Amino acid sequence: MDGVPQDVPLVRSTVATKEAALAREIMDSSYGASLRLSGRLEGQEMRLARTDVDRFTIDDLVLPGRLRFACDPLSRPLVTVTGRGHLGIDCRGHSNHPRPTTPLMTPYGLPYQVVSRSAAMRVTALDPGLLHDTLGTPAGERTRLDFLELQAPTPAAAQLWQAATVFVSQRLAGLESVPSLLSGQLAHLLAVTALSLFPCRTPDPRRVDSTDATSATLRRALAYIDSHAHRDITLADIARAACASPRAVQQAFRSRRDTTPLAHLRRVRLEQAHRDLQAATPDTSTVTRIAARWGFAHTSRFAAYYREVFGHPPAMTLRHGAPRP
């Protein structure tokens, strides 16, 4: 395999103002739509602290006073969790006024209205393409995602989202850039969690033509994975390279390799991490850093995968390097 994983920029920014007119400009530019803010900040500070990583952003947003927004359709889905105060959203005649700590999916691609009162919240914006990639939606079927529910259904679901966002924030803490594969894994974690809380309508499943799940399909998929494992690739990317649907590619891997495309991708990256550990020393690198380079966000899971394949923990390889002939 040629190439090594690259880093993607991690941009942190903070803006704050007590001026309502400037607050309107900040909100509009931050979310890419006219939000038409009205109301008063009541002499308090509106504050937005953003972490921007490739296919998602995480904002800590404080909206003082009593504010209203008449929002144009957004280009990205937003998951909002209010820590204190009140936030309510009205869309298509339905009102959503969740309790604090309950994740709320902001309507996507539709106009809506917001009312906030002394609200402090965390807002996670997700790339629609990321959600489609996670769903495995074929390129020709990628329409606006239509979420069936806008509020997390249970306290357990709310805790699941909280755990995911805390984990992502912890993995990004102190970093100025992020290995592209780690960024992709963190984005995928947020996407999977969001889709489990907020299911959406998807195209009717197609019947898989077994003639598509051929050895040629598998061969093209394997070649693509082997040459692109250092990049942030998805099942949809693998399927396009294999000239087949995602379902056909999955069937080809199951029937001919007794595995899945993404499990094979993980194995290829695990072997690359093994080579890097052999070449490194404890003075120049760490297991966590090498695991992150190859897209393993959970160091403990990486260690478990590694031990299963190589028979010993990754730290042992790092300490002793490549085996002597």
Side-chain angles (χ1 to χ4, degrees):
M1 183 190 72
D2 296 328
V4 295
Q6 302 297 312
D7 286 1
V8 297
L10 187 157
V11 180
R12 303 183 194 276
S13 59
T14 301
V15 290
T17 184
K18 294 182 179 180
E19 301 295 330
L22 183 55
R24 293 188 193 99
E25 293 180 15
I26 291 171
M27 293 293 290
D28 286 358
S29 63
S30 297
Y31 296 106
S34 174
L35 304 185
R36 298 194 295 284
L37 180 153
S38 60
R40 302 180 62 183
L41 301 182
E42 298 178 357
Q44 301 177 67
E45 189 174 72
M46 188 281 289
R47 182 179 180 86
L48 188 151
R50 167 164 291 187
T51 301
D52 189 340
V53 189
D54 198 18
R55 305 183 81 183
F56 65 92
T57 61
I58 298 177
D59 294 341
D60 289 309
L61 177 63
V62 176
L63 295 175
R66 294 173 176 263
L67 303 175
R68 290 181 177 273
F69 300 85
C71 306
D72 287 347
L74 297 176
S75 60
R76 296 182 298 170
L78 308 179
V79 181
T80 300
V81 180
T82 304
R84 69 172 187 269
H86 171 81
L87 181 77
I89 291 181
D90 296 326
C91 180
R92 294 189 295 190
H94 297 285
S95 295
N96 294 274
H97 295 261
R99 295 179 178 178
T101 75
T102 299
L104 179 67
M105 175 64 76
T106 301
Y108 156 60
L110 297 169
Y112 63 101
Q113 294 78 43
V114 175
V115 177
S116 71
R117 294 196 298 272
S118 302
M121 64 199 76
R122 171 160 286 187
V123 183
T124 304
L126 301 172
D127 175 16
L130 167 67
L131 297 175
H132 279 301
D133 286 344
T134 303
L135 290 167
T137 312
E141 299 178 11
R142 296 193 170 193
T143 57
R144 181 183 64 82
L145 292 161
D146 186 8
F147 293 97
L148 301 176
E149 300 291 341
L150 296 183
Q151 288 190 42
T154 64
Q159 292 172 5
L160 184 65
W161 180 254
Q162 172 75 1
T165 54
V166 167
F167 176 78
V168 170
S169 296
Q170 289 175 341
R171 291 297 282 117
L172 297 176
L175 299 180
E176 295 181 358
S177 62
V178 190
S180 60
L181 298 186
L182 176 61
S183 170
Q185 290 298 312
L186 296 177
H188 179 69
L189 170 64
L190 292 174
V192 168
T193 308
L195 290 169
S196 70
L197 268 64
F198 308 105
C200 59
R201 291 188 179 88
T202 56
D204 293 334
R206 297 175 178 176
R207 180 183 62 83
V208 175
D209 185 347
S210 60
T211 60
D212 288 341
T214 62
S215 58
T217 294
L218 178 63
R219 188 165 57 250
R220 288 191 292 267
L222 290 170
Y224 181 81
I225 289 172
D226 288 343
S227 61
H228 291 78
H230 63 290
R231 297 183 178 177
D232 181 20
I233 59 175
T234 65
L235 175 59
D237 296 322
I238 298 168
R240 281 192 292 270
C243 304
S245 71
R247 299 180 187 92
V249 172
Q250 289 175 319
Q251 181 171 309
F253 271 84
R254 280 195 300 268
S255 62
R256 298 172 185 275
R257 285 293 184 96
D258 193 27
T259 187
T260 67
L262 296 184
H264 178 76
L265 174 62
R266 183 178 66 207
R267 175 59 183 265
V268 171
R269 289 173 174 168
L270 194 65
E271 291 172 350
Q272 291 298 127
H274 174 63
R275 294 188 182 96
D276 283 0
L277 286 165
Q278 288 180 319
T281 67
D283 294 334
T284 61
S285 195
T286 65
V287 170
T288 297
R289 186 179 302 167
I290 290 174
R293 179 187 304 157
W294 289 101
F296 295 92
H298 296 264
T299 306
S300 59
R301 290 184 188 174
F302 169 73
Y305 293 142
Y306 192 94
R307 183 188 289 272
E308 181 180 348
V309 172
F310 299 107
H312 56 266
M316 182 178 294
T317 303
L318 181 61
R319 284 196 303 270
H320 300 295
R324 295 181 180 179

